[in-house]
């Protein structure tokens, strides 16, 4: 299987250990690799990989690098057949890698993958995930990713960026500390960083309803940071939509179950809780949003942005028991 490696030297962990994978490249000269720091770099590298018939792309970067790679793959289609991806977490939060990645950020992870792929029957698993497509009225092309968040998620991401040299560098645990800060604010009645946002939401054939939300997220991942699974709907649909509307009730009684992906008798729509699996969501936002850890400004036009599935990508992971 021809393999290509996209390596972002600006991703947090790569910046701290810039020569970590050089020995692997030397031991596997047949593997193509490219340093990429911008979407244009990724586009050029993927075009070369496509010409050389690469069908497994290894991304050594953070969520932003993965998002940019997915965006190029779906917007520009450089490959006649979509390649599989393998993710080595080299960013800060690495939420996507936590769900579909290979494991630890270390030289041995890439060495193990390349060695396994030379086997006739490599000990790997392939998992499929839907890709989120967001159509913005002011953009000529849609943007793609795997996690969309607004409300407290937007404010929390901004806090993580502002504290990048402290909490932000702790990765998943830093995100957990920010979550703990918000929960503490809820418990003490503080409003700092918890200002609800008004969002117009329409799902399916329903008309757009404007309401205040504390949290609103849409994802195609099976798990979020620290193993949280805050989606408990049993309906079919590629997009996991979870929100907490204002006013909400019984948060402390319902939250432990909901974060584990379990329903709770008090987590009803009447009490502010929504979890659905959907094919399309239309939103009117007056505040910013987050896509795979990157902050986006509010849409300039007061028209709905459309969230839908762009199709699936395959991700390669080590089989259970492979260490």
């Amino acid at each position: 299987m021809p393999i290509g490696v996209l390596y972002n030297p600006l991703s947090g962990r790569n910046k701290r250990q810039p020569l970590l994978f050089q020995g692997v490249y030397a031991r596997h000269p047949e593997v193509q690799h490219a340093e990429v720091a911008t979407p244009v770099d990724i586009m050029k590298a993927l075009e070369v990989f496509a010409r050389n018939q690469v069908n497994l792309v290894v991304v050594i970067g953070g969520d932003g690098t993965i998002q940019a790679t997915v965006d190029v793959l779906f917007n520009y289609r450089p490959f006649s057949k979509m390649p599989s991806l393998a993710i080595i977490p080299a960013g800060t939060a690495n939420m996507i890698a936590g769900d579909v990645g290979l494991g630890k950020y270390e030289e041995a992870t890439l060495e193990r993958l390349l060695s396994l792929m030379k086997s006739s029957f490599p000990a790997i698993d392939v998992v499929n995930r839907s890709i989120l497509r967001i159509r913005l009225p002011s953009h000529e092309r849609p943007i793609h990713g795997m996690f969309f968040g607004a409300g407290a998620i937007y404010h929390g991401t901004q806090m993580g960026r502002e504290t990048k040299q402290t909490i932000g560098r702790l990765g998943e645990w830093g995100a957990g500390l920010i979550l703990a800060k918000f929960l503490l604010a809820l418990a003490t009645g503080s409003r700092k960083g918890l200002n609800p946002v008004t969002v117009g939401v329409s799902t399916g054939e329903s008309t757009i309803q404007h309401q205040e939300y504390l949290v609103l997220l849409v994802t195609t991942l099976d798990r979020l940071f620290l193993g949280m699974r805050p989606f408990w709907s049993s309906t079919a649909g590629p997009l996991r939509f979870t929100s907490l509307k204002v006013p909400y009730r019984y948060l402390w009684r319902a939250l432990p179950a909901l974060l584990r992906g379990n329903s709770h008798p008090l987590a009803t729509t009447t009490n502010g809780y929504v979890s659905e699996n959907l094919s399309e969501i239309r939103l009117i936002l007056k505040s910013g949003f987050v896509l795979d850890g990157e902050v986006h400004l509010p849409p300039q036009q007061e028209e709905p942005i459309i969230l839908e599935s762009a199709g699936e990508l395959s991700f390669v992971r080590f089989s259970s028991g492979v260490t």
Side-chain angles (χ1 to χ4, degrees), residues 59-203:
V59 182
I60 307 178
D63 289 339
T65 308
I66 301 166
Q67 185 275 321
T69 301
V70 169
D71 203 52
V72 168
L73 287 173
F74 279 86
N75 265 335
Y76 298 98
R77 301 279 176 171
F79 292 82
S80 58
K81 180 182 178 182
M82 196 68 78
S84 298
L85 296 187
I87 310 298
I88 295 179
T92 302
N94 300 301
M95 186 160 61
I96 297 174
D99 183 40
V100 295
L102 292 173
K104 295 180 180 179
Y105 173 79
E106 57 187 19
E107 181 186 24
T109 301
L110 181 59
E111 177 68 48
R112 187 181 309 131
L113 175 69
L114 300 183
S115 298
L116 281 173
M117 297 311 295
K118 293 180 179 180
S119 168
S120 300
F121 301 98
I124 61 169
D125 294 327
V126 178
V127 297
N128 295 325
R129 293 287 184 270
S130 293
I131 298 301
L132 178 63
R133 176 166 57 208
I134 303 174
R135 298 187 182 276
L136 294 156
S138 57
H139 285 51
E140 179 181 352
R141 295 180 180 273
I143 54 178
H144 299 81
M146 302 186 78
F147 179 86
F148 169 98
I153 296 171
Y154 173 74
H155 297 302
T157 301
Q158 286 186 311
M159 182 185 299
R161 292 162 68 95
E162 292 167 1
T163 60
K164 193 170 184 180
Q165 299 307 313
T166 54
I167 291 177
R169 290 189 64 174
L170 296 176
E172 282 195 305
W173 292 105
L177 287 174
I178 292 171
L179 174 63
K181 178 180 175 67
F182 283 126
L183 293 178
L184 180 62
L186 286 172
T188 59
S190 170
R191 305 294 290 178
K192 185 177 181 181
L194 293 175
N195 296 326
V197 295
T198 300
V199 184
V201 179
S202 171
T203 61

Side-chain angles (χ1 to χ4, degrees), residues 232 250 253-254 257-258 262-271 273:
W232 56 95
Y250 310 115
R253 294 170 66 179
L258 301 185
N262 299 321
S263 61
H264 190 280
L266 294 175
T268 63
T269 303
T270 303
N271 289 334
Y273 306 88

Side-chain angles (χ1 to χ4, degrees), residues 5-22 24-25 58-62 87-94 97-98 101-112 318:
V5 177
L6 297 178
Y7 174 89
N8 187 349
L10 301 183
S11 296
R13 297 180 182 180
N14 288 337
K15 288 173 68 174
R16 295 193 289 272
Q17 300 186 68
L19 303 179
L20 182 64
F21 299 99
Q22 294 302 312
V24 182
Y25 300 148
V58 182
V59 182
I60 307 178
I87 310 298
I88 295 179
T92 302
N94 300 301
L102 292 173
K104 295 180 180 179
Y105 173 79
E106 57 187 19
E107 181 186 24
T109 301
L110 181 59
E111 177 68 48
R112 187 181 309 131
F318 296 130

